[in-house]
Amino acid sequence: MERNLMKGNEALAEAAIRAGCKCFFGYPITPQTEVAAYLAKYMPKNDGVFIQAESEIAAINMVLGAASAGVRAMTSSSSPGISLKSEGVSYIAGSDLPCVIINVQRGGPGLGGIQPSQSDYWQATKALGHGDYQLLVYAPCSVQEMVDKVTLAFDMADKFRMPAMILADGLLGQMMEPVTFPERKTEFEPKPWAANGHGNKRKHNIINSLYLVPEELENSIRNRYERYEIIKANHTEAESYLCDDADFVVTAYGASARVAKSAVNRARAMGIKAGLFRPITLWPFPVNEINEACKNAKALLDVEMSMGQMIEDVKLAINCSKPVHFFGRTGGVIPSPDEVLGELKKLSEANK
Amino acid sequence: MAVIFDRPKSLADVPTHYCPGCTHGIIHRLIAEVIDEMGIEGDTIGICPVGCAVMAYDYFNCDMIEAAHGRAPATATGVKRSLPDKFVFTYQGDGDCAAIGTAETVHAATRGENIVVIFVNNAIYGMTGGQMAPTSLPGQVTQTTPYGRDVSVAGNPIKMVEMLSVLDGVALAQRVAVNTVPHIREAKKAIRKAFENQKAKRGFSIIEVLSSCPTNWGVSPTEALEKIDEVMIPFYPLGAYKDVTAEGAN
Ligand SMILES: Cc1ncc(C[n+]2csc(CCOP(=O)(O)OP(=O)(O)O)c2C)c(N)n1
Ligand code: SF4
Ligand SMILES: [Mg+2]
């Protein structure tokens, strides 16, 4: 298979085209700009639509329109822009529409900074917009995984009629690695619910998130949560690296997992039995997988490019059955393997 | 017996939730008549606002989408770009189209999105119980301008079609009313022209319809219709501010 050396953001954009993304709507923001630039260049050549919207709010509502019409649609942004999209994402979820949203995270809050960060974990997994709903959240940690997860995100979004997010960061977006792409998707499941003109052949379709009768709204939410249960039971993904005999399991996702992996390798070389547990789906969180991965561990070390957000899910997933320590850098500072190794050494000393 | 007046086919045979005497119903009917006459019900996607017309998805028989407050032009853009051969219209109140959604309206217009926007200007926020709208008149008493709209505090009313008429993407920007039979006839012609523009791919058409809200204006339905002539039209003159199909728009 052909291998290409590509930047994470560009590979992700190419993967979207191959996944049959017909419409892209975006608004410029660092560090996701290459996604939009690539699609501006290649969407028109692939019979697709590219629009630079007037705002992230408009962009996500264009996505809502395109998704309603039954085509695959995507938007991408970075942290401040994702905050603006949150209203639209809530409407998309409430209307049972599929779409893909890319967040190439940067430091926050506010305008924050433009360096890589992982401080939107809570936003992505708990509270992107109002109401009872979830997004599928994928956290790639290599350029190849950017490609694979975008492909999967489109399929899963369609299958479960819900929004899916790729939670990347500036580091993955800018990094260059060799990748292979899947074949271009040309066959799609029919969407009989789409608002695409009934052609006088069926009753009119309505795409809507309004239910004025509380019991009806409750029912619609319960239906959605039944789908969530199916996803939780069947579609979690994680990587366990050297976890079987590990005394200390590092938990990290995305870019910080790359740093953590080097630290784990160096710890092993020094005789410290360390392992890495890396969630790939952040929602649903891989609960069974983490319990399996840390079954022999004395303690866990959660590493994030934030003040500690995923750590809450880690503790919940293992029912606080073991001590979970934390090491994080934030604001766009990337933790170094040395720093993580230092934490592992401390843990090893303390547990002698 | 010959039927001389009937419900347009594309208007659903269901009771609406509009207040007695509200002219939202007339505007719905005109849109449905145009859809029927052009034979495009099966090829039309309508987009409802957040406002009194929020449930218009139950009233039109074409496919319908309920948009977020103010975002209908963006949603319409997504639909139209995905399905360029279908007809797409939005139905929006003044709060929706001219306050919270101003950016979406202006940019859909300037991009020349080939859609129809039906902009229902009743100078009030009907659905939320009668607060000041961007189009509320100077001096108008509303729930949030209890002493009358003081423009030095609350700002001036926005004149949407005048403003949009300067944009290159706009094919038609016209203000009509539905308070008298002649006005209703004019309104119907304008709506038809807007849909014909879409068919001919001429770009963005907006029809601003001066509409009544007897409930929140605190007057009877007939008085509300009279008020449109007395205070609304003098402030918001009717006419086509831009019409690419006509010579010398006023
Ligand atoms: C984001 C958001 N803000 C506020 C509201 C509350 N709201 C619902 S309708 C409306 C105003 C509607 O007024 P208008 O657009 O003029 O329509 P009308 O009811 O007069 O036809 C407001 C403020 C909302 N639903 N969503
Ligand atoms: S509140 Fe006003 S605009 Fe809304 S339905 Fe009643 S009369 Fe019509
Ligand atoms: Mg209004």
Side-chain angles (χ1 to χ4, degrees):
Chain A
M1 246 213 258
E2 197 190 334
R3 279 163 65 83
N4 306 273
L5 188 65
M6 272 177 106
K7 256 192 188 180
N9 280 340
E10 293 183 345
L12 179 157
E14 175 62 27
I17 293 177
R18 303 237 182 168
C21 178
K22 165 95 178 156
C23 292
F24 175 88
F25 307 107
Y27 185 85
I29 186 167
T30 307
Q32 67 75 57
T33 311
E34 297 86 1
V35 179
Y38 189 92
L39 291 169
K41 201 163 172 187
Y42 294 106
M43 280 302 248
K45 294 185 178 169
N46 284 278
D47 209 20
V49 174
F50 172 92
I51 296 184
Q52 178 170 324
E54 60 273 28
S55 68
E56 288 87 351
I57 297 176
I60 191 70
N61 285 286
M62 291 175 188
V63 167
L64 188 151
S68 301
V71 308
R72 287 192 162 185
M74 181 171 101
T75 183
S76 77
S77 189
S78 178
S79 310
I82 297 292
S83 294
L84 274 185
K85 288 186 198 293
S86 59
E87 176 202 42
V89 179
S90 172
Y91 277 72
I92 287 171
S95 308
D96 293 318
L97 293 169
C99 75
V100 173
I101 303 142
I102 312 292
N103 182 1
V104 185
Q105 297 171 85
R106 59 188 249 184
L111 199 48
I114 57 168
Q115 296 303 322
S117 167
Q118 295 182 322
S119 48
D120 302 344
Y121 179 95
W122 280 336
Q123 186 193 46
T125 59
K126 320 277 180 213
L128 183 54
H130 59 285
D132 275 328
Y133 77 93
Q134 296 287 353
L135 305 172
L136 292 157
V137 184
Y138 297 97
C141 95
S142 65
V143 176
Q144 184 63 53
E145 237 179 32
M146 294 276 248
V147 169
D148 298 344
K149 295 311 158 207
V150 167
T151 314
L152 180 66
F154 272 108
D155 287 344
M156 288 287 288
D158 271 2
K159 181 164 177 182
F160 291 98
R161 289 183 61 179
M162 64 189 288
M165 174 177 276
I166 304 292
L167 192 65
D169 56 63
L171 196 76
L172 293 166
Q174 303 298 327
M175 192 166 75
M176 279 185 107
E177 279 180 344
V179 273
T180 57
F181 289 100
E183 285 300 306
R184 179 135 188 206
K185 191 175 168 88
T186 47
E187 304 262 307
F188 301 94
E189 293 291 308
K191 294 179 175 169
W193 46 262
N196 52 2
H198 58 56
N200 305 311
K201 293 195 184 83
R202 56 164 168 76
K203 212 179 150 280
H204 74 155
N205 282 339
I206 299 172
I207 306 287
N208 175 36
S209 63
L210 175 70
Y211 297 83
L212 287 175
V213 181
E215 288 75 14
E216 287 178 13
L217 179 56
E218 185 183 48
N219 278 341
S220 81
I221 295 167
R222 284 193 190 281
N223 285 341
R224 213 165 286 131
Y225 273 69
E226 281 169 22
R227 274 179 281 149
Y228 294 169
E229 286 306 315
I230 299 173
I231 300 168
K232 282 189 195 168
N234 301 291
H235 297 285
T236 52
E237 269 189 59
E239 179 195 355
S240 294
Y241 177 71
L242 306 179
C243 285
D244 282 347
D245 65 340
D247 289 333
F248 309 105
V249 169
V250 181
T251 54
Y253 70 97
S256 53
R258 295 175 72 100
V259 175
K261 202 174 215 170
S262 337
V264 163
N265 286 336
R266 286 163 61 181
R268 284 271 169 179
M270 296 171 63
I272 300 171
K273 285 192 192 168
L276 169 69
F277 179 77
R278 175 173 74 90
I280 298 172
T281 52
L282 299 181
W283 192 91
F285 195 79
V287 175
N288 294 337
E289 293 89 334
I290 191 172
N291 280 292
E292 175 63 24
C294 70
K295 60 175 190 281
N296 297 318
K298 293 179 184 153
L300 280 68
L301 172 66
D302 182 68
V303 176
E304 300 182 46
M305 280 145 58
S306 75
M307 291 303 285
Q309 300 192 2
M310 184 178 76
I311 188 170
E312 296 194 353
D313 281 342
V314 170
K315 288 182 180 173
L316 265 179
I318 63 164
N319 245 323
C320 292
S321 57
K322 319 212 164 184
V324 183
H325 302 270
F326 178 71
F327 179 75
R329 298 299 305 265
T330 195
V333 183
I334 300 166
S336 73
D338 268 350
E339 287 174 316
V340 179
L341 182 64
E343 296 299 309
L344 281 170
K345 282 194 216 157
K346 273 194 244 164
L347 272 183
S348 168
E349 283 303 312
N351 283 277
K352 275 241 163 85
Chain B
M1 226 186 351
V3 177
I4 52 164
F5 188 80
D6 202 0
R7 174 184 298 278
K9 194 170 87 28
S10 52
L11 204 56
D13 190 3
V14 293
T16 73
H17 67 282
Y18 296 115
C19 303
C22 172
T23 47
H24 265 299
I26 298 176
I27 303 167
H28 280 30
R29 188 186 164 96
L30 296 183
I31 296 169
E33 284 181 359
V34 166
I35 290 175
D36 280 8
E37 285 163 19
M38 292 175 69
I40 57 172
E41 183 195 314
D43 295 317
T44 299
I45 296 107
I47 301 177
C48 321
V50 176
C52 279
V54 70
M55 284 189 290
Y57 50 75
D58 282 333
Y59 309 150
F60 288 99
N61 283 330
C62 56
D63 280 357
M64 297 294 292
I65 299 169
E66 209 295 296
H69 195 20
R71 317 299 175 213
T75 301
T77 299
V79 177
K80 186 71 184 184
R81 295 294 183 116
S82 304
L83 306 167
D85 298 327
K86 306 287 173 181
F87 289 84
V88 179
F89 75 91
T90 71
Y91 188 104
Q92 303 178 254
D94 36 63
D96 199 82
C97 185
I100 196 167
T102 314
E104 284 77 7
T105 308
V106 169
H107 284 273
T110 198
R111 281 194 305 270
E113 293 297 337
N114 194 27
I115 59 171
V116 172
V117 171
I118 306 294
F119 166 39
V120 180
N121 178 359
N122 57 9
I124 197 101
Y125 281 11
M127 191 199 205
T128 40
Q131 299 81 21
M132 182 187 78
T135 48
S136 291
L137 298 172
Q140 188 178 333
V141 173
T142 72
Q143 204 182 52
T144 48
T145 51
Y147 309 112
R149 182 176 187 159
D150 175 352
V151 296
S152 73
V153 177
N156 297 287
I158 191 165
K159 296 187 173 174
M160 281 302 270
V161 284
E162 287 87 336
M163 186 176 90
L164 294 172
S165 68
V166 302
L167 300 178
D168 288 341
V170 174
L172 177 65
Q174 184 168 347
R175 185 179 291 120
V176 298
V178 285
N179 62 328
T180 66
V181 173
H183 284 160
I184 291 172
R185 284 186 202 281
E186 271 307 303
K188 165 99 180 268
K189 269 196 247 165
I191 294 171
R192 173 74 189 242
K193 191 182 252 183
F195 276 85
E196 292 290 351
N197 280 346
Q198 187 169 162
K199 190 174 182 178
K201 299 192 183 341
R202 292 195 186 101
F204 185 90
S205 297
I206 181 167
I207 308 298
E208 174 173 340
V209 188
L210 301 182
S211 187
S212 70
C213 178
T215 303
N216 289 304
W217 292 358
V219 296
S220 74
T222 9
E223 283 166 335
L225 298 182
E226 287 160 10
K227 264 188 128 102
I228 290 180
D229 272 333
E230 288 160 14
V231 297
M232 288 272 276
I233 294 176
F235 194 86
Y236 294 115
L238 305 184
Y241 289 84
K242 182 171 184 190
D243 179 354
V244 294
T245 66
E247 292 292 306
N250 67 352

